[in-house]
Every structure is written in structure tokens, then in C-alpha cells.
Amino acid sequence: MNYTPEVEARLRADAEQVIARYPNSRSAIMPLLHLIQSEDGFCSPRGITLVADILGLTRAQVSAVATFYSQYRRRPNGEYNVGVCTNALCAVMGGDIIWDELSEYVGVGHDETTADGKITLEQLECNAGCDYAPVIMVNWEFFDNQTPASAKQIVDDIRAGKDIHPTRGPDKVHTFKEISRVLAGFEDGHVDEGPAGGEATMAGLRIAREQGWTAPVSEEEQQ
């Protein structure tokens, strides 16, 4: 099914803003795929066709990008993407246990979506939050120092329609479609809403300041 004329006109207008940021229009392919996900919840066939037409590419060329990167979905994603890190440090700190219990609790496995369309569950690779292991990410917002019980509470709150609040970042987690629009390059006003780093991340900087340590100066900077 094609987009309605109104929706297609809106997407094309947004696409023009995205393309204007790049010297080569083809460079806009990745944010445009996020734009499609903000509308359809995945990289739909009609969305791929539209991106191909806008950029003067073939559908195969656009699909090649959409199938390469894991943040692009080829089937409808849940309203909330709940990712459990099971890479080395998170795994040994309890990530594997969280994954096993949460998958059984929700009733779906990796890259599967609950029947109500609320939750897509995903096993994640490292998200550079090792100092807060084990970590869960919901729509790419951090939930630090998790346990099986706290992970189940997250999905319970999602199912109940409650706002969920990440450890760091914005005040609440926004939907997959809303976040996809941000990834397409359209600010939502929440960028400075909460802290980006917690005590574990900032400990080194704090100690350096307390000790009066400074970065070494190169010979070029000394001259």
C-alpha cells in the first residue's frame, strides 16, 4: 500500500531538509531510512521505494543499506525496543541471566515482538556502558546496573502504559518512532534533559581535578 498523498508530501518535505545537509544527496540515505522508520516503524517496502525515488537510486541499493545495519528493521518493530547487553562484561555481571529470565517472562526471543506490538526484545552487543554493567537499553536509552527483577519491572511498566525513566539522558524514554525521527536529524528538545555520565563515568575526571592533574602538553603546543 502506498502512502497517502498527504503523508508522502510531508515525508518528501522532511527529506529535502535532510538532503540539504549533505554535499552529495546519496549521503542522506541513512537518515532517510530512519525517517521512514519514524513513519512506519520499520524500513517498509513503500518507504524503501520512496527513498530510492527521492535519491535517484534503485530499490536494491537502498535495501542493501537497510539490511546491513542492525538499527534498521525489515519488519514492524515494537513501540519499545528492549535490548539486553550480553557481551562479555555485562554477561558475567548478570546480563545472561537477565536475558534468559526476561525472554521467558515476555515470551519472545531475539528480534521478536510481542503480540500486542509493545515490545521487541533484542540481545545487544556492547553499548559502551561497561562501568554500569549489566545494562539494558530501551530505544537506545540507558538503564544501568540492572537485575532480572528491575528488567521485568521495565517491561511491566511499558505494558501498563507508564512512562519509563532511563538512568541517564532524557526524563523519559520516547517511542521507537519518535526516536527514529531524532536519528533522522530532527531534534526533539530533550538533548540536555538529563545527565550523560554518572559517578562511575566521571570518577576519573573528579580525581584528576582533586589531584590537580592536567593533560600532557606536546612539543608543538609548547612552541
Side-chain angles (χ1 to χ4, degrees), residues 64-77:
V65 176
T67 55
F68 185 83
Y69 295 99
S70 62
Q71 278 190 317
Y72 298 127
R73 312 302 191 191
R74 296 311 305 270
R75 56 182 179 272
N77 203 77

Side-chain angles (χ1 to χ4, degrees), residues 23-209:
N24 186 324
S25 63
R26 181 169 181 161
S27 299
I29 187 169
M30 295 182 72
L32 290 187
L33 287 172
H34 285 299
L35 179 65
I36 293 304
Q37 293 198 139
S38 76
E39 183 66 33
D40 292 338
F42 71 116
C43 290
S44 61
R46 65 180 182 177
I48 292 210
T49 299
L50 180 61
V51 171
D53 182 63
I54 290 172
L55 297 179
L57 302 172
T58 66
R59 285 179 296 174
Q61 288 172 311
V62 178
S63 292
V65 176
T67 55
F68 185 83
Y69 295 99
S70 62
Q71 278 190 317
Y72 298 127
R73 312 302 191 191
R74 296 311 305 270
R75 56 182 179 272
N77 203 77
E79 190 174 354
Y80 291 89
N81 196 85
V82 178
V84 181
C85 181
T86 56
N87 209 333
L89 185 57
C90 277
V92 300
M93 294 294 288
D96 282 345
I97 297 172
I98 291 173
W99 168 260
D100 290 341
E101 291 198 22
L102 193 61
S103 179
E104 181 178 359
Y105 186 69
V106 176
V108 297
H110 172 67
D111 199 26
E112 294 179 349
T113 301
T114 55
D116 60 7
K118 283 284 187 180
I119 297 167
T120 294
L121 203 60
E122 183 179 17
Q123 278 186 292
L124 294 178
E125 291 299 314
C126 184
N127 290 283
C130 304
D131 39 357
Y132 300 102
V135 168
I136 288 176
M137 297 196 81
V138 182
N139 292 346
W140 299 287
E141 301 294 353
F142 285 98
F143 288 75
D144 303 325
N145 302 313
Q146 292 298 294
T147 66
S150 65
K152 292 173 186 176
Q153 186 62 56
I154 291 171
V155 299
D156 283 346
D157 288 344
I158 290 173
R159 286 167 160 171
K162 297 179 180 178
D163 288 341
I164 55 173
H165 307 282
T167 310
R168 294 171 280 138
D171 179 60
K172 70 174 185 177
V173 176
H174 298 269
T175 66
F176 180 82
K177 289 184 177 181
E178 290 170 333
I179 292 300
S180 293
R181 185 167 176 81
V182 175
L183 293 172
F186 296 92
E187 295 290 345
D188 62 359
H190 300 291
V191 63
D192 294 320
E193 209 164 61
E199 172 57 25
T201 301
M202 307 306 292
L205 178 60
R206 175 178 53 78
I207 293 170
R209 287 175 173 170

